[in-house]
Amino acid sequence: MWDVISIQLALETPTAKYHVLERRIQNYLTSHPTEWQPVFYMGVMELDSRTRRMVLSLWVGHTINWQNSGLRFERRTRFFLHLREILEEEGFTYVLPEQPITIRQQDMGAHVVQPPAFLQPAGGQAPPLHPIGAAFH
């Protein structure tokens, strides 16, 4: 059985770092033979210049029965935490590119938005509004 894991990295990641990641994952898998098969596949599935990302796909074979969900999640958690450690230690990054935000101010005039009738108290009088940060009584 296989687990498939997708990772997004910066498109600028050097090829040498890719091979370091591959080697470190291989070391982890071979050092945990009761959980993982030593054979795995890691490949670049997508290069996206618009978002400046490279998408990797890891196919790792496991030895624990997939029907035992408790052991499966424990095994996957250990692997993910170790993978995160590798990515941090080797300086892998990915940050979404900045996105421009346009805010348009619209003249609302004298329009006052009232809450719907079912939210108003029985007497028709809405409670006074409190300034933000004021203590409510």
Side-chain angles (χ1 to χ4, degrees):
M1 300 305 291
W2 295 84
D3 279 329
V4 181
I5 299 159
S6 182
I7 303 172
Q8 297 179 22
L9 300 175
L11 186 60
E12 299 78 16
T13 302
T15 304
K17 276 184 130 178
Y18 171 90
H19 294 297
V20 168
L21 177 61
E22 194 173 37
R23 187 181 70 248
R24 294 211 40 202
I25 290 172
Q26 180 69 60
N27 291 343
Y28 178 82
L29 297 177
T30 55
S31 67
H32 295 84
T34 59
E35 296 178 342
W36 301 101
Q37 297 174 7
V39 178
F40 78 104
Y41 169 76
M42 184 172 92
V44 178
M45 302 309 284
E46 183 181 343
L47 298 173
D48 188 345
S49 60
R50 186 179 53 81
T51 58
R52 309 298 305 157
R53 72 181 175 146
M54 171 172 45
V55 179
L56 301 182
S57 184
L58 299 174
W59 292 65
V60 291
H62 58 84
T63 59
I64 296 174
N65 188 336
W66 64 272
Q67 293 173 332
N68 187 335
S69 58
L71 289 177
R72 178 176 181 255
F73 290 126
E74 288 175 16
R75 169 183 47 79
R76 284 178 57 93
T77 297
R78 284 190 295 274
F79 179 78
F80 277 115
L81 291 175
H82 188 74
L83 180 60
R84 181 176 179 265
E85 188 177 295
I86 292 170
L87 295 172
E88 284 180 353
E89 288 174 2
E90 299 297 336
F92 284 91
T93 60
Y94 175 62
V95 178
L96 284 169
E98 292 182 10
Q99 304 271 330
I101 298 174
T102 304
I103 300 174
R104 295 185 186 145
Q105 194 165 13
Q106 194 171 7
D107 183 20
M108 295 298 287
H111 293 41
V112 176
V113 178
Q114 293 291 328
F118 67 87
L119 291 178
Q120 302 229 0
Q125 292 288 331
L129 298 176
H130 296 279
I132 295 175
F136 292 94
H137 302 294

